Amino acid sequence: MKKSILIIICSLLFFPLCNLQVYAQKKEINEAIDKVKANKNLDKVEASMTKLLKDSANRHNEKIWNLLFESLEKQYQSGNEKLYLKQKYDTASLFNIASRMYTAMTDYDSIDALPDKKGRVKLKMRKQNASTLNTIRPNLFNGGIYFIGKQNYKQAYALFDQYISAAEMPMFKSYNYSSKDKYLPTAAYWAAYCGYKMNDAKKVLHNTYLALKDKQHHESMMQYLSATYMLEKDTARSVETLKEGFHSYPTSSYFFAHLIDYYSGKADWKKANELTDKAIQANRTNATAWLTKSTLLINTGDYEHSFLIADSLLKRDSTMTDAWLNAGLAKFNMGVNLDKNPQNVRQKRQLILKYYKEALPYLEQYRKLAPKETSKWALPLYTIYLNLNMGKQFDEIDKILRNKS
């Protein structure tokens, strides 16, 4: 008997509480209706309806959804009108409203497409909402570009992602975006660009296939891909992308430089030389490729050929700092090689000194141009000053090396 009384008391307490909640929600909805009709406080209506929809019990309440849609549409129309009339208005706000409309209407579509108890699907708002979103969709793209200009890559990515994802959504099937929208590859590229700027590999790679169809930005996309694979420690894919990039753009310094770094790191001089020859073949005036060739020849011991290339580069452009180094090191190494040979030392001594004398002006000029690069010029100059009996200069270099150690 006591248990029954307790149940009755709890029920009496529960029902008024429920009634209060229902009453409060109805009041909130009615106030929202009034605000929408009066076209006032639309942002508050949006916030209110969004909050109500967070309750799973309200997810199928069409009245709440409709109020949310109306509040968003009216905000969008108002902003669009102000911009058209060149009145003061925050452009970013219009793009963000477009994004929120897209989110709300696509969220509802997933509910609208659910089958009823008999397994039937009766779409009530898909056609209308799809039409509305199709009209504003270009502003998702424009908004993405706008936010890139503001360096707000997170928001830019979000808008581009919405723009792209529409192509795969059932609610937009009749618009055939995948085949008819020529801006999809460009949107995918800019989305990847935003991911790259945020150091977010997942976002860079999310629409890779589509982004690579953007011919205007294909070279840049290949660069972002190779860098992203390296960030992911996927060296194999990074190098393959660099190879593909170099094959397509043999005059691009990016692919060439990064492949040279890779081959040099592995001391694979054969492949590095082959790559450099291809770069030179693609552009005979490519000074960077010729300088690289000169450096590679030093690494492989062809000092004479290396010197000829470096000296030729300096005759065209005396400001090429590393060409001074290569020319000096080539001559210096010719002397060092002879000095290592114990046979006929006396006969070769004059030739050794000749090479050191020829190396000297190049290395001294390199020192002037790159005074902080002591690791590159100090030891060769030390050896040259010692062998040429240049006491004053030798003492200076000796002091530099001692202080460094």
Side-chain angles (χ1 to χ4, degrees):
M1 181 70 181
K2 289 181 179 179
K3 187 175 181 181
S4 298
I5 293 170
L6 183 62
I7 292 172
I8 292 169
I9 292 171
C10 288
S11 298
L12 290 171
L13 290 170
F14 176 73
F15 279 118
L17 182 63
C18 286
N19 287 334
L20 284 173
Q21 289 176 338
V22 171
Y23 174 78
Q25 182 169 302
K26 282 185 177 179
K27 182 181 179 183
E28 191 171 359
I29 291 172
N30 287 333
E31 287 177 353
I33 291 172
D34 292 338
K35 288 173 184 175
V36 168
K37 285 181 179 178
N39 204 21
K40 292 181 179 179
N41 299 316
L42 297 171
D43 55 334
K44 292 182 179 180
V45 174
E46 178 192 352
S48 174
M49 296 303 102
T50 300
K51 183 180 177 181
L52 288 177
L53 288 170
K54 288 180 180 178
D55 184 344
S56 58
N58 293 326
R59 293 294 286 175
H60 293 270
N61 189 321
E62 291 181 16
K63 184 176 287 186
I64 296 175
W65 281 107
N66 282 326
L67 282 167
L68 176 61
F69 298 158
E70 279 191 73
S71 67
L72 284 165
E73 284 188 78
K74 287 194 173 186
Q75 287 180 74
Y76 182 83
Q77 289 166 0
S78 174
N80 217 12
E81 184 178 336
K82 287 178 180 178
L83 286 177
Y84 179 77
L85 296 174
K86 297 182 179 180
Q87 296 176 358
K88 188 176 181 180
Y89 185 74
D90 180 13
T91 307
S93 179
L94 182 73
F95 296 134
N96 285 327
I97 294 168
S99 178
R100 298 200 301 274
M101 283 178 68
Y102 179 94
T103 299
M105 290 183 175
T106 53
D107 279 354
Y108 176 79
D109 192 71
S110 63
I111 296 171
D112 198 20
L114 291 174
D116 61 18
K117 294 178 181 180
K118 295 183 179 180
R120 298 170 299 183
V121 175
K122 295 181 178 180
L123 298 168
K124 298 175 182 177
M125 298 184 70
R126 173 173 287 183
K127 188 175 181 180
Q128 178 184 337
N129 286 350
S131 176
T132 299
L133 293 181
N134 179 63
T135 302
I136 71 164
R137 185 167 170 264
N139 268 342
L140 295 177
F141 184 99
N142 296 334
I145 298 296
Y146 174 85
F147 285 116
I148 284 177
K150 299 295 182 180
Q151 297 184 350
N152 186 346
Y153 302 114
K154 182 179 180 181
Q155 187 61 17
Y157 179 87
L159 267 66
F160 283 124
D161 189 53
Q162 289 179 317
Y163 183 91
I164 297 163
S165 64
E168 304 300 324
M169 287 188 169
M171 76 180 291
F172 299 108
K173 186 177 179 181
S174 63
Y175 294 98
N176 296 317
Y177 291 139
S178 294
S179 58
K180 292 184 178 180
D181 185 356
K182 64 180 182 180
Y183 295 106
L184 268 177
T186 305
Y189 164 76
W190 285 118
Y193 172 82
C194 292
Y196 177 77
K197 284 291 188 178
M198 292 187 287
N199 289 318
D200 190 327
K202 187 176 180 181
K203 286 180 170 59
V204 175
L205 303 174
H206 185 55
N207 291 294
T208 297
Y209 177 76
L210 184 59
L212 286 171
K213 290 183 177 180
D214 180 13
K215 294 180 181 179
Q216 183 181 354
H217 299 106
H218 184 265
E219 181 181 348
S220 296
M221 186 62 198
M222 294 291 284
Q223 293 180 19
Y224 299 147
L225 276 179
S226 65
T228 301
Y229 289 138
M230 193 59 73
L231 188 69
E232 292 283 278
K233 300 188 183 333
D234 191 343
T235 305
R237 293 186 77 178
S238 179
V239 172
E240 281 305 308
T241 305
L242 288 171
K243 288 178 180 178
E244 288 178 30
F246 179 78
H247 178 75
S248 300
Y249 308 98
T251 60
S252 167
S253 60
Y254 181 89
F255 303 111
F256 174 70
H258 282 77
L259 281 173
I260 286 294
D261 285 345
Y262 173 73
Y263 291 135
S264 297
K266 297 181 69 179
D268 192 341
W269 308 122
K270 181 181 178 182
K271 286 187 178 178
N273 265 304
E274 289 173 352
L275 181 76
T276 304
D277 289 340
K278 288 178 181 177
I280 291 171
Q281 187 177 3
N283 180 11
R284 299 291 299 180
T285 63
N286 187 340
T288 301
W290 280 111
L291 182 63
T292 303
K293 182 71 176 178
S294 173
T295 304
L296 292 171
L297 289 170
I298 288 176
N299 290 326
T300 55
D302 191 348
Y303 306 124
E304 187 173 353
H305 192 190
S306 173
F307 173 79
L308 290 173
I309 293 174
D311 193 51
S312 175
L313 288 170
L314 290 171
K315 287 174 180 176
R316 283 188 283 167
D317 182 3
S318 61
T319 64
M320 291 187 70
T321 304
D322 286 339
W324 287 102
L325 175 65
N326 282 5
L329 288 180
K331 284 292 183 179
F332 172 75
N333 285 330
M334 289 181 196
V336 171
N337 263 7
L338 282 176
D339 212 2
K340 287 179 181 178
N341 191 338
Q343 297 178 348
N344 303 319
V345 174
R346 289 183 180 179
Q347 292 87 334
K348 292 180 179 178
R349 184 61 183 167
Q350 291 304 313
L351 186 55
I352 291 170
L353 295 178
K354 175 179 177 292
Y355 285 141
Y356 286 165
K357 286 178 183 178
E358 290 174 347
L360 184 58
Y362 290 102
L363 290 171
E364 287 185 329
Q365 179 62 19
Y366 175 72
R367 180 186 175 182
K368 288 180 182 178
L369 295 172
K372 293 182 180 179
E373 298 290 341
T374 52
S375 61
K376 295 179 181 179
W377 51 257
L379 278 174
L381 285 176
Y382 176 93
T383 304
I384 292 171
Y385 292 147
L386 176 64
N387 280 271
L388 296 181
N389 294 318
M390 300 174 69
K392 183 180 178 181
Q393 292 87 339
F394 173 80
D395 290 340
E396 183 204 1
I397 292 293
D398 183 55
K399 186 177 180 181
I400 289 172
L401 289 171
R402 285 177 186 275
N403 290 335
K404 189 179 179 184
S405 61

